[in-house]
PDB file of all heavy atoms in Angstrom:
ATOM      1  N   VAL U  19       6.208  -4.981   9.476  1.00 98.00           N
ATOM      2  CA  VAL U  19       6.890  -6.155   9.908  1.00 98.00           C
ATOM      3  C   VAL U  19       6.581  -7.349   9.052  1.00 98.00           C
ATOM      4  O   VAL U  19       7.486  -8.069   8.629  1.00 98.00           O
ATOM      5  CB  VAL U  19       6.584  -6.453  11.410  1.00 98.00           C
ATOM      6  CG1 VAL U  19       7.383  -7.664  11.912  1.00 98.00           C
ATOM      7  CG2 VAL U  19       6.922  -5.282  12.298  1.00 98.00           C
ATOM      8  N   ALA U  77     -12.312 -13.228  24.919  1.00 84.00           N
ATOM      9  CA  ALA U  77     -11.548 -13.061  26.144  1.00 84.00           C
ATOM     10  C   ALA U  77     -10.891 -11.680  26.021  1.00 84.00           C
ATOM     11  O   ALA U  77     -10.469 -11.248  24.976  1.00 84.00           O
ATOM     12  CB  ALA U  77     -10.542 -14.172  26.370  1.00 84.00           C
ATOM     13  N   GLY U  83      -4.040  -0.707  27.057  1.00 54.00           N
ATOM     14  CA  GLY U  83      -2.585  -0.577  27.273  1.00 54.00           C
ATOM     15  C   GLY U  83      -1.804  -1.406  26.244  1.00 54.00           C
ATOM     16  O   GLY U  83      -2.402  -2.038  25.401  1.00 54.00           O
ATOM     17  N   VAL U 108      -7.809 -20.461  17.315  1.00 98.00           N
ATOM     18  CA  VAL U 108      -7.108 -19.510  16.432  1.00 98.00           C
ATOM     19  C   VAL U 108      -6.810 -18.241  17.161  1.00 98.00           C
ATOM     20  O   VAL U 108      -7.750 -17.490  17.513  1.00 98.00           O
ATOM     21  CB  VAL U 108      -7.848 -19.323  15.105  1.00 98.00           C
ATOM     22  CG1 VAL U 108      -7.098 -18.269  14.248  1.00 98.00           C
ATOM     23  CG2 VAL U 108      -8.023 -20.581  14.370  1.00 98.00           C
ATOM     24  N   ASP U 113       1.464 -13.835  23.380  1.00 94.00           N
ATOM     25  CA  ASP U 113       2.469 -12.966  24.083  1.00 94.00           C
ATOM     26  C   ASP U 113       2.865 -13.635  25.401  1.00 94.00           C
ATOM     27  O   ASP U 113       3.742 -14.525  25.409  1.00 94.00           O
ATOM     28  CB  ASP U 113       1.818 -11.577  24.182  1.00 94.00           C
ATOM     29  CG  ASP U 113       2.749 -10.568  24.777  1.00 94.00           C
ATOM     30  OD1 ASP U 113       3.933 -10.815  24.983  1.00 94.00           O
ATOM     31  OD2 ASP U 113       2.331  -9.385  25.079  1.00 94.00           O
ATOM     32  N   SER U 114       2.184 -13.273  26.466  1.00 91.00           N
ATOM     33  CA  SER U 114       2.514 -13.893  27.832  1.00 91.00           C
ATOM     34  C   SER U 114       1.988 -15.321  27.862  1.00 91.00           C
ATOM     35  O   SER U 114       2.452 -16.099  28.692  1.00 91.00           O
ATOM     36  CB  SER U 114       1.906 -13.035  28.903  1.00 91.00           C
ATOM     37  OG  SER U 114       0.509 -13.275  29.024  1.00 91.00           O
ATOM     38  N   ASP U 146       5.466 -20.560  30.427  1.00 91.00           N
ATOM     39  CA  ASP U 146       4.709 -21.647  30.946  1.00 91.00           C
ATOM     40  C   ASP U 146       3.446 -21.931  30.110  1.00 91.00           C
ATOM     41  O   ASP U 146       2.310 -22.139  30.544  1.00 91.00           O
ATOM     42  CB  ASP U 146       4.228 -21.380  32.412  1.00 91.00           C
ATOM     43  CG  ASP U 146       3.475 -20.024  32.530  1.00 91.00           C
ATOM     44  OD1 ASP U 146       3.395 -19.315  31.547  1.00 91.00           O
ATOM     45  OD2 ASP U 146       2.881 -19.801  33.624  1.00 91.00           O
TER      46      ASP U 146
END
Side-chain angles (χ1 to χ4, degrees):
V19 181
V108 178
D113 186 6
S114 74
D146 57 351

